[in-house]
Amino acid sequence: MTGQGKAIAHPNIALAKYWGKLDGPGNLPSVPSLSLTLDGMATTTQVTFEPDLREDTLRLDGQSASGRPRERVTELLDALWARSSMLGSVAQRPRARVESANDFPTASGLASSASAFAALAVAANEAAGAGLQVADLSDLARRISASSARSFFGGFVELAAGQHAEQQLAARSLAPTSHWSLRLIVAVTDEGQKSVGSTEGMLRTAATSPYYAAWVEAAPSLFDAVRKAVLARDFDALVGPVEQSALAMHATSIAAAPGIIYWNQATMAAIDRVRALRARGTPACFTIDAGPHVKVLTPEAHAAEVAAALQDVPGVLRTIAARPGEGARALVAAS
Ligand code: DP6
């Protein structure tokens, strides 16, 4: 065991959304999802096992963190330790000092938990010398936060729906970063943290929304249509199912009790702008996660035009442009 490991991971944005879990343990998704891993935004995490520590510690962007974020870190480290045959025999896992930094807003609907748990799993695998393969790490992270399973792979990535009592479910690569030179422009509409986290949002939706069953029924065919369009690099065919997946996810949440509305005025204005761009012939489509930002996909040749149009929308604070990015990977740890 080297004792220390460092890793970088990027967020991924789902073009076909994961929203909902199967009943029972294991955090198994109730629908299949398909995402694009992004460069341009990153989480960097360092894990140091320290035999003298009494509990795991977490610093997020320089601030000490406790509560649920730290518990999730402990859950992932415990699971990694238990999974590795090299470490399972060591009864007591040493506690870890975890330091993580995002270069984009945390917990605001920019998918920070995806990059966070992917970076953590890779860094801990290094620090512990656990020797786990990427599919194992993706499965372990999926149990803590399902979208993070996809950030282990670059480019276009899929995660199947779970099946009851399934033991192992990892994401897998559908096509590498070089497959299709799309750009994703994020229209940031709020710099604060979102009010309802995605775990809580999807649990409440499943428990109370009359439209949840309809969403679970519709999601697989939207996933299939997105998958087909991605493999064929057919942007026109991508637009409909990408937007419908996002809108159906939000519709089911809006109908929960109490209703979950992630959007603000600028979210709606940015949607209108994307549709106006398309009406005048610019290929662009939007998706929205559990937050108010609008993420717009467009072929590389139109990225500058789309970014300028979004920047001009009232309430859009700034835009971030991202390309397809690589999967989570280890870095050389600081000594
Ligand atoms: C809207 O992966 O954050 O971003 O498994 O409960 O941690 P947990 O949920 P999480 O949900 C992400 C939801 C989404 C859509 C997506 O990424 O597919």
Side-chain angles (χ1 to χ4, degrees):
M1 173 165 138
T2 60
Q4 194 167 71
K6 193 172 182 182
I8 186 168
H10 301 292
N12 68 76
I13 296 300
L15 308 182
K17 301 296 183 197
Y18 148 58
W19 194 249
K21 305 165 191 290
L22 295 184
D23 290 338
N27 199 37
L28 290 160
S30 56
V31 297
S33 57
L34 193 156
S35 61
L36 176 62
T37 303
L38 305 175
D39 78 351
M41 292 177 263
T43 301
T44 307
T45 298
Q46 181 153 315
V47 172
T48 313
F49 285 107
E50 291 187 0
D52 295 341
L53 277 180
R54 282 181 28 255
E55 54 186 12
D56 297 320
T57 64
L58 172 64
R59 284 183 82 77
L60 260 182
D61 293 327
Q63 308 274 344
S64 170
S66 55
R68 192 61 194 137
R70 193 180 60 172
E71 267 170 39
R72 290 174 113 187
V73 165
T74 296
E75 283 168 19
L76 182 52
L77 295 175
D78 285 347
L80 181 127
W81 202 266
R83 177 71 63 93
S84 166
S85 53
M86 286 194 286
L87 302 170
S89 54
V90 181
Q92 192 73 30
R93 169 175 75 77
R95 301 292 109 177
R97 187 155 50 81
V98 176
E99 287 163 76
S100 190
N102 286 328
D103 62 5
F104 58 96
T106 302
S108 65
L110 281 174
S112 57
S113 75
S115 50
F117 292 106
L120 175 65
V122 173
N125 191 41
E126 290 293 306
L132 294 175
Q133 300 297 309
V134 64
D136 268 316
L137 295 175
S138 171
D139 171 64
L140 289 173
R142 194 261 311 144
R143 293 157 189 264
I144 312 298
S145 185
S147 59
S148 71
R150 300 184 308 235
S151 276
F152 290 85
F153 303 92
F156 299 86
V157 183
E158 56 186 344
L159 176 63
Q163 299 186 10
H164 281 288
E166 192 162 40
Q167 290 305 313
Q168 174 114 3
L169 179 66
R172 57 173 184 250
S173 166
L174 180 67
T177 34
S178 58
H179 174 68
W180 198 2
S181 48
L182 295 178
R183 294 291 179 268
L184 189 109
I185 316 292
V186 182
V188 177
T189 64
D190 189 351
E191 299 285 7
Q193 296 223 345
K194 62 192 173 196
S195 52
V196 183
S198 32
T199 306
E200 186 194 337
M202 67 178 85
L203 290 176
R204 189 195 302 171
T205 299
T208 65
S209 173
Y211 302 153
Y212 179 68
W215 154 252
V216 172
E217 201 185 317
S221 56
L222 293 170
F223 166 85
D224 287 343
V226 169
R227 189 176 191 277
K228 224 170 129 195
V230 165
L231 288 174
R233 291 191 283 259
D234 183 343
F235 198 86
D236 289 343
L238 193 64
V239 170
V242 166
E243 292 193 354
Q244 198 181 355
S245 177
L247 292 173
M249 174 205 129
H250 284 272
T252 177
S253 305
I254 288 169
I260 303 162
I261 304 173
Y262 286 112
W263 300 4
N264 60 28
Q265 309 285 328
T267 313
M268 199 60 231
I271 291 174
D272 283 347
R273 186 61 57 94
V274 173
R275 292 195 157 168
L277 280 169
R278 214 157 58 227
R280 61 171 212 233
T282 303
C285 68
F286 65 82
T287 187
I288 306 166
D289 291 301
H293 314 298
V294 178
K295 295 143 184 181
V296 182
L297 206 58
T298 188
E300 181 182 8
H302 298 274
E305 177 197 353
V306 168
L310 290 169
Q311 188 63 64
D312 186 47
V313 171
V316 169
L317 305 175
R318 61 197 174 96
T319 57
I320 305 170
R323 306 161 179 256
E326 297 301 331
R329 57 212 178 271
L331 298 169
V332 178
S335 50

